[in-house]
Coordinates of all heavy atoms in Angstrom, one line a residue:
M211 N 16.1 -5.7 6.4 CA 15.7 -7.1 6.2 C 14.3 -7.4 6.8 O 14.0 -6.9 7.9 CB 16.8 -8.0 7.0 CG 16.5 -9.4 6.8 SD 17.8 -10.2 7.8 CE 17.9 -11.8 7.2
K212 N 13.5 -8.1 6.1 CA 12.2 -8.4 6.5 C 12.2 -9.5 7.6 O 12.9 -10.4 7.5 CB 11.3 -8.9 5.3 CG 10.8 -7.8 4.4 CD 9.8 -8.5 3.4 CE 9.3 -7.4 2.5 NZ 8.3 -8.0 1.6
S213 N 11.2 -9.3 8.5 CA 11.0 -10.4 9.5 C 10.2 -11.5 8.8 O 9.4 -11.2 7.8 CB 10.2 -9.9 10.7 OG 11.0 -9.0 11.5
Q214 N 10.4 -12.7 9.2 CA 9.6 -13.8 8.6 C 8.6 -14.2 9.6 O 8.9 -14.4 10.8 CB 10.6 -15.0 8.3 CG 11.7 -14.7 7.3 CD 11.2 -14.3 6.0 OE1 10.4 -15.0 5.4 NE2 11.6 -13.1 5.5
A215 N 7.4 -14.5 9.1 CA 6.3 -14.9 10.0 C 5.5 -16.0 9.3 O 5.4 -16.0 8.1 CB 5.4 -13.7 10.3
I216 N 4.9 -16.9 10.2 CA 4.0 -17.9 9.7 C 2.8 -17.8 10.5 O 2.8 -17.8 11.7 CB 4.6 -19.3 9.8 CG1 6.0 -19.4 9.0 CG2 3.6 -20.4 9.3 CD1 6.7 -20.7 9.2
F217 N 1.6 -17.7 9.8 CA 0.3 -17.6 10.5 C -0.3 -19.0 10.3 O -0.6 -19.4 9.1 CB -0.6 -16.5 9.8 CG -1.9 -16.5 10.5 CD1 -2.1 -15.9 11.7 CD2 -3.0 -17.0 9.8 CE1 -3.3 -15.8 12.3 CE2 -4.3 -16.9 10.4 CZ -4.4 -16.3 11.6
Y218 N -0.4 -19.8 11.4 CA -1.0 -21.1 11.3 C -2.5 -21.0 11.7 O -2.8 -20.3 12.7 CB -0.3 -22.0 12.3 CG 1.1 -22.3 12.0 CD1 2.1 -21.7 12.7 CD2 1.4 -23.3 11.0 CE1 3.5 -22.0 12.4 CE2 2.7 -23.6 10.8 CZ 3.8 -23.0 11.5 OH 5.1 -23.3 11.2
H219 N -3.3 -21.7 10.9 CA -4.8 -21.7 11.3 C -5.4 -23.0 10.8 O -4.8 -23.8 10.1 CB -5.5 -20.4 10.8 CG -5.7 -20.4 9.3 ND1 -6.9 -20.9 8.7 CD2 -5.0 -19.9 8.3 CE1 -6.8 -20.8 7.4 NE2 -5.7 -20.2 7.1
A220 N -6.6 -23.2 11.2 CA -7.3 -24.4 10.9 C -8.5 -24.2 10.0 O -9.2 -25.2 9.7 CB -7.8 -25.1 12.2
G221 N -8.8 -23.0 9.5 CA -9.8 -22.7 8.6 C -11.2 -22.4 9.3 O -12.2 -22.2 8.6
C222 N -11.2 -22.5 10.6 CA -12.5 -22.2 11.3 C -12.8 -20.7 11.2 O -12.0 -19.9 10.9 CB -12.4 -22.6 12.8 SG -11.2 -21.7 13.8
P223 N -14.0 -20.3 11.5 CA -14.4 -18.9 11.4 C -13.5 -18.0 12.3 O -13.2 -16.9 11.9 CB -15.9 -18.8 11.9 CG -16.4 -20.2 11.6 CD -15.2 -21.1 11.8
V224 N -13.1 -18.4 13.5 CA -12.2 -17.6 14.3 C -10.9 -17.4 13.6 O -10.4 -16.3 13.6 CB -12.0 -18.3 15.7 CG1 -10.9 -17.6 16.5 CG2 -13.3 -18.3 16.5
C225 N -10.4 -18.5 13.0 CA -9.1 -18.4 12.4 C -9.1 -17.5 11.1 O -8.2 -16.7 10.9 CB -8.6 -19.8 12.0 SG -8.2 -20.9 13.3
V226 N -10.2 -17.7 10.3 CA -10.3 -16.9 9.1 C -10.4 -15.4 9.4 O -9.8 -14.6 8.8 CB -11.4 -17.4 8.2 CG1 -11.7 -16.5 7.0 CG2 -11.1 -18.8 7.8
A227 N -11.2 -15.1 10.4 CA -11.4 -13.7 10.8 C -10.0 -13.1 11.3 O -9.7 -12.0 10.9 CB -12.4 -13.6 11.9
A228 N -9.3 -13.9 12.1 CA -8.0 -13.5 12.6 C -7.0 -13.3 11.4 O -6.3 -12.3 11.4 CB -7.5 -14.5 13.6
E229 N -7.1 -14.2 10.4 CA -6.2 -14.0 9.3 C -6.4 -12.7 8.6 O -5.5 -12.0 8.3 CB -6.4 -15.2 8.3 CG -5.6 -15.1 7.0 CD -5.9 -16.1 6.0 OE1 -6.6 -17.1 6.3 OE2 -5.4 -16.0 4.9
H230 N -7.7 -12.4 8.3 CA -8.0 -11.2 7.6 C -7.6 -10.0 8.3 O -7.0 -9.0 7.8 CB -9.5 -11.1 7.2 CG -9.9 -12.2 6.2 ND1 -9.5 -12.1 4.9 CD2 -10.6 -13.3 6.3 CE1 -10.0 -13.2 4.2 NE2 -10.7 -13.9 5.1
Q231 N -7.9 -9.9 9.6 CA -7.5 -8.8 10.5 C -6.0 -8.7 10.5 O -5.4 -7.6 10.4 CB -8.1 -8.9 11.9 CG -9.6 -8.8 11.9 CD -10.2 -9.0 13.2 OE1 -9.6 -9.8 14.0 NE2 -11.3 -8.4 13.5
L232 N -5.3 -9.8 10.7 CA -3.8 -9.7 10.8 C -3.2 -9.2 9.6 O -2.3 -8.3 9.6 CB -3.3 -11.1 11.2 CG -1.8 -11.2 11.2 CD1 -1.3 -10.7 12.5 CD2 -1.4 -12.7 11.0
L233 N -3.6 -9.8 8.4 CA -3.0 -9.4 7.2 C -3.2 -7.9 6.9 O -2.4 -7.2 6.2 CB -3.5 -10.2 6.0 CG -3.0 -11.7 6.1 CD1 -3.6 -12.5 5.0 CD2 -1.5 -11.8 6.2
D234 N -4.4 -7.4 7.3 CA -4.6 -5.9 7.2 C -3.7 -5.1 8.0 O -3.4 -3.9 7.7 CB -6.1 -5.6 7.5 CG -7.1 -6.0 6.4 OD1 -6.6 -6.3 5.3 OD2 -8.3 -6.1 6.7
L235 N -3.3 -5.6 9.2 CA -2.5 -4.9 10.1 C -1.0 -4.9 9.9 O -0.2 -4.0 10.2 CB -2.7 -5.4 11.5 CG -4.1 -5.1 12.1 CD1 -4.3 -5.9 13.4 CD2 -4.4 -3.6 12.3
V236 N -0.5 -6.0 9.3 CA 0.9 -6.2 9.1 C 1.5 -5.3 8.0 O 0.9 -5.2 6.9 CB 1.2 -7.7 8.8 CG1 2.6 -7.9 8.4 CG2 0.8 -8.6 10.0
D237 N 2.6 -4.7 8.2 CA 3.3 -3.9 7.3 C 4.1 -4.8 6.3 O 5.1 -5.4 6.8 CB 4.2 -2.9 8.0 CG 5.0 -2.0 7.0 OD1 4.9 -2.2 5.8 OD2 5.6 -1.1 7.5
A238 N 3.6 -5.0 5.1 CA 4.2 -6.0 4.2 C 5.7 -5.6 3.8 O 6.4 -6.4 3.3 CB 3.4 -6.1 3.0
K239 N 6.0 -4.3 4.0 CA 7.4 -3.9 3.8 C 8.4 -4.4 4.8 O 9.5 -4.5 4.6 CB 7.4 -2.4 3.7 CG 6.7 -1.8 2.5 CD 6.7 -0.3 2.5 CE 5.8 0.3 1.4 NZ 5.7 1.7 1.6
R240 N 7.8 -4.7 6.0 CA 8.7 -5.1 7.1 C 8.5 -6.6 7.5 O 9.5 -7.2 8.1 CB 8.3 -4.3 8.4 CG 8.6 -2.8 8.2 CD 8.3 -2.0 9.4 NE 9.0 -2.5 10.5 CZ 8.7 -2.2 11.8 NH1 7.7 -1.5 12.0 NH2 9.4 -2.7 12.7
V241 N 7.4 -7.2 7.2 CA 7.1 -8.6 7.6 C 6.6 -9.4 6.4 O 5.6 -9.0 5.8 CB 6.1 -8.6 8.8 CG1 5.9 -10.1 9.2 CG2 6.6 -7.8 9.9
Q242 N 7.2 -10.5 6.1 CA 6.7 -11.4 5.1 C 5.9 -12.5 5.8 O 6.5 -13.2 6.7 CB 7.8 -12.0 4.3 CG 7.4 -13.0 3.2 CD 8.5 -13.5 2.4 OE1 9.5 -12.8 2.2 NE2 8.3 -14.7 1.9
V243 N 4.6 -12.6 5.6 CA 3.8 -13.6 6.3 C 3.4 -14.7 5.3 O 2.9 -14.5 4.2 CB 2.5 -12.9 6.8 CG1 1.6 -13.9 7.5 CG2 2.8 -11.7 7.7
E244 N 3.7 -15.9 5.8 CA 3.2 -17.1 5.1 C 2.0 -17.6 5.8 O 2.0 -17.8 7.1 CB 4.3 -18.2 5.1 CG 3.8 -19.5 4.5 CD 4.8 -20.7 4.6 OE1 5.8 -20.5 5.3 OE2 4.5 -21.7 4.0
V245 N 0.9 -17.9 5.2 CA -0.3 -18.4 5.8 C -0.4 -19.9 5.5 O -0.3 -20.4 4.4 CB -1.6 -17.7 5.2 CG1 -2.8 -18.3 5.8 CG2 -1.5 -16.2 5.5
V246 N -0.5 -20.6 6.6 CA -0.6 -22.1 6.6 C -1.9 -22.6 7.1 O -2.1 -22.4 8.3 CB 0.6 -22.8 7.3 CG1 0.5 -24.3 7.2 CG2 1.9 -22.3 6.7
H247 N -2.7 -23.2 6.3 CA -4.0 -23.8 6.7 C -3.7 -25.2 7.1 O -3.5 -26.1 6.2 CB -5.0 -23.7 5.6 CG -6.4 -24.2 5.9 ND1 -6.6 -25.4 6.5 CD2 -7.6 -23.6 5.6 CE1 -7.9 -25.6 6.6 NE2 -8.5 -24.5 6.1
L248 N -3.6 -25.5 8.4 CA -3.2 -26.8 8.9 C -4.3 -27.9 8.6 O -3.9 -29.1 8.6 CB -2.9 -26.8 10.4 CG -1.7 -26.0 10.7 CD1 -1.5 -25.8 12.2 CD2 -0.4 -26.6 10.1
G249 N -5.5 -27.5 8.3 CA -6.5 -28.5 7.8 C -6.1 -29.0 6.4 O -6.4 -30.2 6.1
D250 N -5.6 -28.2 5.6 CA -5.2 -28.6 4.2 C -3.7 -29.1 4.2 O -3.4 -29.8 3.3 CB -5.3 -27.4 3.3 CG -6.8 -27.0 3.1 OD1 -7.7 -27.8 3.3 OD2 -7.0 -25.8 2.7
A251 N -2.9 -28.7 5.1 CA -1.5 -29.0 5.2 C -1.1 -29.7 6.4 O -0.3 -29.3 7.2 CB -0.6 -27.7 5.0
K252 N -1.8 -30.9 6.7 CA -1.6 -31.6 7.9 C -0.1 -32.0 8.1 O 0.3 -32.2 9.3 CB -2.5 -32.9 7.9 CG -3.9 -32.5 8.1 CD -4.7 -33.7 8.5 CE -6.2 -33.4 8.8 NZ -6.4 -32.7 10.0
Q253 N 0.7 -32.1 7.1 CA 2.1 -32.5 7.2 C 2.9 -31.4 7.9 O 4.0 -31.6 8.4 CB 2.7 -32.8 5.9 CG 2.9 -31.6 5.0 CD 1.7 -31.1 4.2 OE1 0.6 -31.6 4.4 NE2 1.9 -30.2 3.2
R254 N 2.3 -30.2 8.1 CA 3.0 -29.1 8.8 C 2.6 -28.9 10.2 O 3.1 -28.0 10.9 CB 2.7 -27.8 8.0 CG 3.4 -28.0 6.6 CD 3.6 -26.8 5.8 NE 4.4 -25.8 6.4 CZ 4.6 -24.6 5.9 NH1 4.0 -24.2 4.8 NH2 5.4 -23.7 6.5
V255 N 1.7 -29.8 10.7 CA 1.3 -29.7 12.2 C 2.5 -29.9 13.1 O 2.7 -29.2 14.0 CB 0.1 -30.7 12.5 CG1 -0.1 -30.8 14.0 CG2 -1.1 -30.3 11.7
A256 N 3.3 -30.9 12.8 CA 4.5 -31.2 13.6 C 5.4 -29.9 13.6 O 6.0 -29.6 14.6 CB 5.2 -32.4 13.1
E257 N 5.6 -29.3 12.5 CA 6.4 -28.1 12.4 C 5.8 -27.0 13.3 O 6.6 -26.3 14.0 CB 6.4 -27.6 10.9 CG 6.9 -26.2 10.7 CD 6.5 -25.7 9.3 OE1 6.7 -26.4 8.3 OE2 6.0 -24.5 9.2
A258 N 4.5 -26.8 13.3 CA 3.9 -25.8 14.1 C 4.1 -26.1 15.6 O 4.5 -25.3 16.4 CB 2.4 -25.7 13.8
K259 N 4.0 -27.4 15.9 CA 4.2 -27.8 17.3 C 5.7 -27.6 17.7 O 5.9 -27.1 18.8 CB 3.9 -29.3 17.5 CG 2.4 -29.6 17.5 CD 2.1 -31.0 17.7 CE 2.2 -31.4 19.1 NZ 1.8 -32.8 19.3
R260 N 6.6 -27.9 16.9 CA 8.0 -27.6 17.2 C 8.3 -26.1 17.4 O 9.2 -25.8 18.1 CB 8.9 -28.2 16.0 CG 9.2 -29.6 16.1 CD 10.3 -30.1 15.1 NE 10.1 -29.6 13.8 CZ 9.4 -30.3 12.8 NH1 8.8 -31.4 13.1 NH2 9.3 -29.8 11.6
S261 N 7.5 -25.3 16.7 CA 7.7 -23.9 16.8 C 7.1 -23.3 18.1 O 7.3 -22.2 18.5 CB 7.0 -23.1 15.6 OG 7.7 -23.5 14.4
G262 N 6.3 -24.2 18.8 CA 5.7 -23.8 20.1 C 4.3 -23.5 20.0 O 3.7 -23.0 21.0
V263 N 3.6 -23.7 18.9 CA 2.2 -23.5 18.7 C 1.4 -24.5 19.6 O 1.6 -25.7 19.4 CB 1.8 -23.5 17.2 CG1 0.3 -23.4 17.1 CG2 2.5 -22.5 16.4
K264 N 0.5 -23.9 20.4 CA -0.3 -24.8 21.3 C -1.8 -24.8 20.8 O -2.5 -25.7 21.1 CB -0.3 -24.2 22.7 CG 1.1 -24.1 23.3 CD 1.5 -25.4 23.9 CE 2.8 -25.2 24.7 NZ 3.8 -26.1 24.3
S265 N -2.2 -23.7 20.1 CA -3.5 -23.6 19.6 C -3.5 -22.7 18.4 O -2.5 -21.9 18.2 CB -4.5 -23.0 20.6 OG -4.1 -21.7 21.0
V266 N -4.5 -22.8 17.6 CA -4.6 -21.9 16.4 C -5.9 -21.1 16.5 O -6.8 -21.5 17.2 CB -4.6 -22.7 15.1 CG1 -3.3 -23.4 14.8 CG2 -5.7 -23.7 15.1
P267 N -5.8 -19.9 16.0 CA -4.8 -19.3 15.2 C -3.6 -18.8 16.0 O -3.7 -18.5 17.2 CB -5.5 -18.1 14.5 CG -6.6 -17.7 15.5 CD -7.0 -19.0 16.1
A268 N -2.4 -18.9 15.3 CA -1.2 -18.5 16.0 C -0.3 -17.9 14.9 O -0.2 -18.3 13.8 CB -0.5 -19.6 16.7
L269 N 0.5 -16.9 15.3 CA 1.5 -16.3 14.5 C 2.9 -16.5 15.1 O 3.1 -16.2 16.3 CB 1.2 -14.8 14.4 CG 2.1 -14.0 13.5 CD1 2.0 -14.3 12.0 CD2 1.9 -12.5 13.7
V270 N 3.8 -17.0 14.3 CA 5.2 -17.2 14.7 C 6.0 -16.2 13.9 O 6.0 -16.2 12.7 CB 5.7 -18.7 14.4 CG1 7.1 -18.8 14.8 CG2 4.8 -19.7 15.1
V271 N 6.6 -15.3 14.7 CA 7.4 -14.2 14.1 C 8.8 -14.3 14.6 O 9.0 -14.2 15.8 CB 6.9 -12.8 14.4 CG1 7.7 -11.7 13.7 CG2 5.4 -12.7 14.0
D272 N 9.7 -14.6 13.7 CA 11.2 -14.7 14.1 C 11.3 -15.6 15.3 O 12.1 -15.3 16.3 CB 11.8 -13.3 14.4 CG 11.8 -12.4 13.1 OD1 11.9 -13.0 12.0 OD2 11.8 -11.2 13.2
G273 N 10.6 -16.7 15.3 CA 10.8 -17.7 16.4 C 9.9 -17.5 17.6 O 9.9 -18.3 18.5
Q274 N 9.2 -16.4 17.7 CA 8.3 -16.1 18.8 C 6.9 -16.4 18.5 O 6.4 -16.0 17.4 CB 8.4 -14.6 19.2 CG 9.7 -14.1 19.7 CD 10.1 -14.7 21.1 OE1 9.2 -15.1 21.8 NE2 11.4 -14.9 21.3
V275 N 6.2 -17.1 19.3 CA 4.8 -17.5 19.1 C 3.8 -16.5 19.7 O 4.0 -16.2 20.9 CB 4.5 -18.9 19.7 CG1 3.1 -19.3 19.4 CG2 5.5 -20.0 19.1
L276 N 2.9 -16.1 18.9 CA 1.8 -15.2 19.4 C 0.5 -16.0 19.2 O 0.1 -16.2 18.1 CB 1.8 -13.9 18.6 CG 3.1 -13.1 18.6 CD1 3.1 -12.0 17.6 CD2 3.4 -12.6 20.0
H277 N -0.1 -16.4 20.3 CA -1.4 -17.1 20.2 C -2.5 -16.0 20.1 O -2.5 -15.1 20.9 CB -1.6 -18.0 21.4 CG -0.7 -19.2 21.3 ND1 0.5 -19.2 21.9 CD2 -0.8 -20.4 20.6 CE1 1.1 -20.4 21.7 NE2 0.4 -21.1 20.9
I278 N -3.4 -16.2 19.1 CA -4.4 -15.2 18.8 C -5.8 -15.9 19.1 O -6.1 -16.9 18.4 CB -4.3 -14.7 17.4 CG1 -2.9 -14.2 17.1 CG2 -5.4 -13.7 17.1 CD1 -2.6 -14.0 15.7
N279 N -6.5 -15.4 20.1 CA -7.8 -16.0 20.3 C -7.7 -17.5 20.5 O -6.7 -18.0 20.9 CB -8.8 -15.6 19.2 CG -10.2 -15.5 19.6 OD1 -10.7 -16.2 20.6 ND2 -11.0 -14.7 18.9
F280 N -8.8 -18.2 20.3 CA -8.7 -19.7 20.4 C -9.7 -20.3 19.4 O -10.9 -20.2 19.6 CB -9.0 -20.2 21.8 CG -8.8 -21.7 22.0 CD1 -7.6 -22.2 22.2 CD2 -9.9 -22.5 21.8 CE1 -7.4 -23.6 22.3 CE2 -9.7 -23.9 21.9 CZ -8.5 -24.4 22.2
G281 N -9.1 -21.0 18.4 CA -10.0 -21.7 17.5 C -10.0 -23.2 17.7 O -11.0 -23.8 17.8
A282 N -8.8 -23.7 17.9 CA -8.6 -25.2 18.2 C -7.2 -25.5 18.8 O -6.3 -24.8 18.5 CB -8.8 -25.9 16.9
A283 N -7.2 -26.5 19.6 CA -5.9 -26.9 20.2 C -5.2 -27.6 19.1 O -5.7 -28.2 18.2 CB -6.2 -27.9 21.3
I284 N -3.8 -27.5 19.1 CA -3.0 -28.1 18.0 C -3.2 -29.6 17.9 O -3.2 -30.2 16.9 CB -1.5 -27.6 18.2 CG1 -0.7 -27.9 16.9 CG2 -0.9 -28.3 19.4 CD1 -1.0 -27.0 15.8
E285 N -3.4 -30.2 19.1 CA -3.6 -31.7 19.1 C -4.8 -32.1 18.3 O -4.9 -33.2 17.8 CB -3.7 -32.2 20.5 CG -2.4 -32.1 21.3 CD -2.1 -30.7 21.9 OE1 -3.0 -29.9 21.9 OE2 -1.0 -30.6 22.4
A286 N -5.8 -31.2 18.2 CA -7.1 -31.6 17.5 C -6.8 -31.6 16.0 O -7.6 -32.2 15.2 CB -8.1 -30.5 17.8
L287 N -5.7 -31.1 15.5 CA -5.4 -31.1 14.1 C -4.5 -32.3 13.7 O -4.3 -32.4 12.5 CB -4.7 -29.8 13.8 CG -5.5 -28.5 14.1 CD1 -4.7 -27.3 13.9 CD2 -6.8 -28.5 13.3
E288 N -4.1 -33.1 14.6 CA -3.2 -34.2 14.2 C -4.0 -35.3 13.6 O -5.1 -35.6 13.9 CB -2.5 -34.7 15.5 CG -1.5 -33.7 16.0 CD -0.7 -34.1 17.2 OE1 -1.3 -34.4 18.2 OE2 0.5 -34.2 17.1

């Protein structure tokens, strides 16, 4: 069974670079990654916050939040 992951980002250069690096590293046979650009999908900011995301870019895998670098605080996207 594949793990489910959501990569939240805001579209900034830090986020985009992290997205490209992350997708190159993830084994697509083991992990299904959904990429969510919170600048384009503002309705999903609350979802990200409920998942525990404090800043973006962040990866949520099977309910665990992994904060990657720092592009923006989640509050800045509301």
Side-chain angles (χ1 to χ4, degrees):
M211 182 181 200
K212 281 187 179 184
S213 290
Q214 301 298 308
I216 303 175
F217 180 75
Y218 294 102
H219 73 90
C222 67
V224 169
C225 293
V226 172
E229 176 186 352
H230 292 289
Q231 290 174 331
L232 175 77
L233 293 177
D234 284 345
L235 294 172
V236 171
D237 182 351
K239 294 177 187 170
R240 296 181 58 200
V241 182
Q242 181 176 332
V243 180
E244 175 187 7
V245 176
V246 177
H247 184 312
L248 293 173
D250 293 339
K252 289 198 176 285
Q253 72 278 9
R254 296 195 61 186
V255 171
E257 166 193 316
K259 287 178 78 173
R260 282 191 305 274
S261 296
V263 174
K264 306 273 188 230
S265 64
V266 292
L269 179 68
V270 179
V271 182
D272 295 333
Q274 296 290 335
V275 180
L276 306 168
H277 291 95
I278 304 166
N279 209 331
F280 184 85
I284 194 76
E285 290 81 10
L287 301 172
E288 294 181 299

